[in-house]
Amino acid sequence: MGSWRVTVMGHDRRSGGRPQGRPDGPLARRDGLEVHGRDGELSCVDATGRVRWQQPCPGRPNAAHLSSGRVLVTTDSFDYTAWGHLGPALLLDLADGSTVAELRGERAAALGGGRFALGLAGYDAFDTRAYDRDGALVDSWRSYGHYVVGSGLRVVETDRRHPTESRVVRLLPGGRIERGPLLTDPQAPEPLVLPDGTLLVLDAGVLRAVGRDLDDTVLAELHPLPADQRHRFTGSLRRTADRLDVTLVERHPTRMGAYTTHAWHLDLHAPR
């Protein structure tokens, strides 16, 4: 069996640009329902545009995840707290928006059956916890990062350490962790998931493919970043119908608000 390959079709570098914030539109959608959020408020809208419910939110909603009649919303706080600007993670009943539990976490993933994974990093925390539909803790792991559901729960870890100890891992029942390839970037961006479950990971300017078995291959060394410069770059991956777009936004080392955007356009070739 072959492996994924890429061909670099173009590269450009231009002044300007900056890391993207949360995209416009609903926080989550499924089965004709959309969950929307704005400062201090959450709402659910059906396919006809009718508002099913509105609820106050103690912060700024930034993401929502749906699972079997439950919705988990992560938020930013309006005020600086012991957890910085991290707000509560709200587990809500999707039927009426009522609060089931108030949790703490920065990133989340829906696991099915009303269950969720919720991760927290910082202040000696580097943890993922699994909660059931009632907000009860059912499992936990010493791992945190971008979550990918399928072939178990995989994590592209982001430990914010220099040098990093982040890896691509799989979380197993009972707090066990299957460890995959070591990364070089402590803050790799969200991976792209290909149809066969392969993860595309932009790791310090190097594009890597990590398979379901946590085997990895370097696809392209686009712009390898020295260890002392990685904090100035923010990456992203986007797949369109006919190509893969890779972007690195570089913050100027001394001029605040000055950025340079590096962009690559690649053809993606499926395994044969």
Side-chain angles (χ1 to χ4, degrees), residues 3-271:
S3 58
W4 290 91
R5 297 177 297 108
V6 296
T7 302
V8 179
M9 305 303 295
H11 169 235
D12 61 79
R13 180 178 182 272
R14 63 184 184 276
S15 298
R18 62 183 304 151
Q20 297 297 307
R22 184 175 67 81
D24 295 331
L27 297 174
R29 55 161 61 96
R30 180 178 293 174
D31 300 329
L33 296 178
E34 295 182 347
V35 176
H36 293 259
R38 61 183 183 181
D39 289 4
E41 183 183 273
L42 289 164
S43 61
C44 180
V45 179
D46 66 20
T48 69
R50 181 172 67 92
V51 177
R52 292 283 190 92
W53 51 260
Q54 288 180 308
Q55 294 288 357
C57 175
R60 179 178 296 110
N62 58 53
H65 308 269
L66 300 173
S67 178
S68 299
R70 293 287 190 260
V71 54
L72 181 64
V73 181
T74 52
T75 71
D76 300 317
S77 172
F78 295 131
D79 303 311
Y80 192 82
T81 71
W83 288 97
H85 287 288
L86 178 66
L90 305 173
L91 179 61
L92 308 177
D93 189 323
L94 187 58
D96 58 12
S98 60
T99 300
V100 176
E102 187 171 306
L103 307 170
R104 180 72 64 185
E106 185 176 357
R107 290 179 182 155
L111 302 179
R115 298 175 301 118
F116 297 90
L118 183 60
L120 182 64
Y123 299 96
D124 295 324
F126 186 69
D127 301 287
T128 298
R129 297 180 172 91
Y131 295 93
D132 69 13
R133 62 184 299 105
D134 298 318
L137 179 66
V138 295
D139 213 337
S140 63
W141 302 265
R142 189 68 174 172
S143 179
Y144 168 86
H146 300 288
Y147 301 110
V148 180
V149 179
S151 295
L153 179 61
R154 286 175 290 174
V155 187
V156 178
E157 293 183 328
T158 55
D159 64 7
R160 304 173 186 171
R161 298 177 60 176
H162 301 275
T164 184
E165 296 179 4
S166 292
R167 295 177 178 270
V168 182
V169 304
R170 178 180 286 109
L171 307 186
L172 303 173
R176 295 177 297 125
I177 299 175
E178 180 185 356
R179 303 191 185 279
L182 186 67
L183 302 174
T184 57
D185 191 341
Q187 286 280 30
E190 184 175 357
L192 190 66
V193 185
L194 298 180
D196 67 349
T198 297
L199 306 182
L200 295 185
V201 179
L202 184 59
D203 182 23
V206 175
L207 185 65
R208 300 168 65 175
V210 181
R212 288 179 177 270
D213 295 330
L214 302 184
D215 53 306
D216 79 311
T217 304
V218 172
L219 299 182
E221 296 187 358
L222 299 173
H223 190 70
L225 302 176
D228 62 347
Q229 298 297 313
R230 291 170 191 154
H231 65 283
R232 296 196 299 110
F233 289 80
T234 302
S236 64
L237 299 168
R238 186 172 68 94
R239 190 181 183 190
T240 63
D242 57 353
R243 74 183 190 190
L244 174 68
D245 294 332
V246 182
T247 303
L248 280 174
V249 177
E250 177 184 0
R251 176 171 51 83
H252 194 277
T254 58
R255 297 205 312 270
M256 184 175 295
Y259 296 87
T260 300
T261 298
H262 309 261
W264 293 263
H265 313 298
L266 297 83
D267 274 348
L268 186 61
H269 311 285

